[in-house]
């Protein structure tokens, strides 16, 4: 499981924009920041990519999972000692080689995380300094990417602007960062076995939002959820680390990270139905809406009916299934990384409870977790975090 979903949980926590972090050439509503769980209104199904080759979206995602898992598995070999993020070894930044500048870049990333993802930031303070700084760098890149299609310049974003952002991504992976935030991430990916593909896939999720506002079925929505949320898990697993004593396969830990990403994304979608409808967007599977006797017009009308309540119960049930799947992998993480992940998971899961408490009115009411409940969740998360990996493979 990766810190990311974990990081991703916080990406839309604050509505303010990072004006100074986003390129000037900034579209439509940004993505709501995937496990092999399939679900339809009438049934629940656990599907394996290998057993069910028809799930093309899962096949695409699983190919990436295998590649990322191989990188981390190589890192975890007992004969090889894990590289530490050594800030005394600077990288080149626009012709300047100074570890002071690099350290400042990481601190700047930490400041952004502290401002826009307060709860998660507190959790990162429990990590080792190396992991903490690397997670901050990943968080800032994800937030900047998200801001491209959900920030102040969103109306001016074009596919070419995203192409330029992807070119910039390639440059930083090759050691040519554009600014301080890029420099921090460039250094991070040079120190951990982080592959560029999940980052590219997140940008692909932004492209989807430029041209797509409906999803025919859950298979399409699954791929979208992977692009904008599951990718974060793949980015951060190598940094968060898997416990040396874990007997779980690397692939299973990655799948748990994907499950948490999907769960968080589905929760965002269910929470923001009304807000998205006002933007002309429907992130709910069209075939499932039709089977429930609902249409886009019902959503735009914004009235809670028995059909809507029944439909929402099924959607919430699916999201909880993904949270359940995600929980299986959190305990396999490095001990210093488990607490912020558990905290994020438990806090975000409670949004589903809030939707139910609002009688499924996600048209005019925004579901959120009260501060008191957030604070009560933190010791619970810590209690779960001190439980180590399972002893069986």
């Amino acid at each position: 499981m990766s810190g990311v979903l974990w990081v991703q949980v916080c990406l839309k926590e604050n509505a303010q924009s990072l004006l100074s972090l986003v390129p000037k050439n900034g579209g439509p509503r940004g993505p709501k920041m995937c496990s092999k769980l399939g679900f339809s209104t009438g049934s629940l199904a656990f599907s394996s990519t290998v057993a069910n080759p028809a799930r093309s979206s899962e096949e695409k995602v699983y190919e990436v999972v295998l590649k990322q898992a191989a990188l981390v598995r190589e890192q975890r070999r007992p004969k090889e000692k894990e590289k530490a993020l050594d800030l005394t070894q600077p990288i080149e930044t626009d012709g300047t080689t100074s570890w002071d500048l690099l350290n400042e870049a990481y601190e700047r990333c930490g400041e952004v995380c502290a401002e826009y993802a307060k709860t998660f930031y507190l959790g990162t303070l429990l990590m080792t300094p190396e992991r903490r700084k690397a997670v901050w760098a990943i968080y800032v890149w994800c937030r900047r990417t998200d801001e491209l299609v959900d920030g102040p310049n969103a109306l001016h974003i074009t596919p070419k602007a995203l192409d330029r952002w992807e070119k910039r991504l390639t440059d930083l992976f090759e050691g040519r960062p554009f600014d301080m935030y890029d420099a921090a991430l460039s250094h991070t990916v040079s120190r951990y076995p982080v592959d560029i593909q999940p980052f590219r896939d997140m940008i692909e999720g932004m492209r989807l939002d430029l041209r797509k506002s409906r999803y025919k079925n859950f298979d399409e929505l699954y791929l979208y959820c992977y692009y904008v949320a599951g990718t974060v898990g793949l980015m951060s697993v190598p940094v968060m680390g898997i416990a040396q004593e874990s007997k779980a396969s690397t692939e299973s830990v990655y799948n748990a990270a994907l499950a948490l990403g999907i769960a968080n994304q589905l929760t965002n979608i269910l929470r923001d139905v009304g807000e998205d409808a006002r933007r002309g967007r429907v992130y709910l599977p069209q075939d499932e809406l039709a089977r429930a006797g609902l249409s886009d017009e019902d959503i735009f009308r914004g009235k809670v009916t028995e059909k809507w309540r029944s439909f929402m119960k099924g959607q919430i049930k699916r999201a909880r299934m993904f949270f359940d799947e995600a929980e299986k992998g959190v305990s396999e993480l490095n001990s210093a990384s488990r607490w912020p992940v558990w905290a994020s998971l438990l806090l975000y899961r409670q949004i589903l409870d809030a939707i139910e408490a609002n009688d499924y009115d996600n048209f005019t009411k925004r579901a959120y977790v009260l501060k008191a409940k957030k604070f009560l969740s933190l010791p619970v998360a810590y209690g779960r975090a001190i439980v180590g990996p399972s002893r069986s493979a």
Side-chain angles (χ1 to χ4, degrees):
M1 282 256 325
S2 130
V4 179
L5 279 240
W6 323 324
V7 168
Q8 176 259 325
V9 164
C10 310
L11 288 179
K12 292 185 177 293
E13 195 174 82
N14 191 307
Q16 291 182 310
S17 305
L18 294 179
L19 285 167
S20 62
L21 303 188
V22 185
K24 296 300 181 184
N25 287 330
R29 165 80 168 159
K32 306 183 178 304
M33 305 284 213
C34 240
S35 178
K36 304 282 177 272
L37 291 173
F39 178 77
S40 64
T41 303
S43 64
L44 294 172
F46 182 82
S47 64
S48 161
T49 301
V50 177
N52 188 358
R55 301 287 298 199
S56 60
S57 291
E58 292 190 20
E59 286 183 327
K60 293 177 183 177
V61 173
Y62 198 58
E63 288 177 4
V64 182
V65 167
L66 290 177
K67 181 178 180 181
Q68 310 309 305
L71 290 173
V72 172
R73 194 161 48 240
E74 181 73 16
Q75 181 198 43
R76 294 181 70 210
R77 287 183 179 178
K79 65 180 180 179
E80 296 181 5
K81 188 174 181 180
E82 180 182 349
K83 283 186 178 180
L85 190 57
D86 185 1
L87 294 180
T88 65
Q89 296 183 18
I91 58 172
E92 293 186 4
T93 55
D94 294 330
T96 302
T97 56
S98 169
W99 80 269
D100 289 318
L101 287 176
L102 183 58
N103 195 50
E104 183 182 349
Y106 277 117
E107 292 305 318
R108 286 268 199 91
C109 290
E111 291 170 5
V112 173
C113 187
E115 181 175 357
Y116 295 95
K118 295 179 177 62
T119 301
F120 182 78
Y121 173 77
L122 292 175
T124 64
L125 299 181
L126 297 178
M127 300 178 187
T128 63
E130 294 81 9
R131 295 183 195 277
R132 178 191 314 149
K133 292 176 185 294
V135 167
W136 291 344
I138 292 173
Y139 170 83
V140 168
W141 186 88
C142 290
R143 185 171 184 92
R144 296 174 83 180
T145 302
D146 182 64
E147 285 283 287
L148 289 172
V149 292
D150 197 29
N153 295 315
L155 293 176
H156 308 291
I157 269 289
T158 65
K160 286 187 176 180
L162 291 177
D163 290 344
R164 289 193 294 271
W165 186 248
E166 185 168 359
K167 172 61 168 59
R168 182 164 156 176
L169 170 70
T170 301
D171 287 344
L172 76 84
F173 261 81
E174 294 176 355
R176 300 189 301 276
F178 181 78
D179 60 17
M180 292 185 72
Y181 299 104
D182 284 358
L185 183 59
S186 183
H187 191 239
T188 290
V189 300
S190 74
R191 298 294 174 172
Y192 290 96
V194 180
D195 188 66
I196 195 173
Q197 191 59 50
F199 294 84
R200 286 174 171 161
D201 287 344
M202 177 173 278
I203 296 173
E204 187 60 31
M206 308 301 136
R207 292 191 178 100
L208 271 182
D209 260 334
L210 292 182
R211 64 176 186 267
K212 194 175 181 71
S213 61
R214 300 292 187 279
Y215 292 85
K216 291 190 302 183
N217 50 44
F218 186 69
D219 187 57
E220 285 193 359
L221 189 61
Y222 175 96
L223 188 60
Y224 174 72
C225 288
Y226 160 70
Y227 281 151
V228 301
T231 50
V232 190
L234 303 189
M235 296 172 194
S236 56
V237 163
V239 175
M240 303 294 281
I242 300 174
Q244 287 295 329
E245 64 272 24
S246 172
K247 302 298 182 183
S249 69
T250 307
E251 289 85 353
S252 70
V253 178
Y254 267 107
N255 281 335
L258 289 171
L260 184 52
I262 295 181
N264 289 335
Q265 185 61 23
L266 291 176
T267 300
N268 281 335
I269 288 170
L270 299 179
R271 180 194 63 193
D272 298 339
V273 168
E275 182 181 340
D276 289 328
R278 288 186 285 276
R279 297 170 181 264
R281 293 183 164 270
V282 178
Y283 287 94
L284 301 167
Q286 294 289 305
D287 61 343
E288 295 180 19
L289 281 169
R291 285 198 295 271
L294 297 165
S295 67
D296 289 355
E297 290 307 312
D298 293 300
I299 295 175
F300 296 146
R301 197 174 296 120
K303 290 187 177 181
V304 179
T305 63
E306 285 307 313
K307 284 184 179 180
W308 179 253
R309 290 187 183 94
S310 178
F311 174 76
M312 283 302 301
K313 288 176 182 177
Q315 299 298 308
I316 288 174
K317 187 174 184 179
R318 172 165 58 200
R320 285 183 173 140
M321 286 179 64
F322 279 106
F323 276 121
D324 290 342
E325 185 68 13
E327 289 188 8
K328 298 175 183 178
V330 183
S331 296
E332 307 302 326
L333 292 174
N334 179 280
S335 59
S337 302
R338 290 195 289 263
W339 186 84
V341 177
W342 271 118
S344 297
L345 188 156
L346 295 177
L347 290 172
Y348 229 61
R349 186 168 186 154
Q350 290 179 69
I351 294 175
L352 299 175
D353 301 334
I355 294 174
E356 293 173 332
N358 287 340
D359 193 28
Y360 305 100
D361 182 3
N362 42 10
F363 299 118
T364 63
K365 298 179 181 178
R366 183 178 176 86
Y368 64 94
V369 181
L370 297 172
K371 278 190 175 181
K373 286 189 175 182
K374 287 183 179 182
F375 284 121
L376 289 174
S377 297
L378 297 181
V380 175
Y382 183 77
R384 295 194 183 188
I386 62 177
V387 178
S390 59
R391 296 300 176 181
S392 58

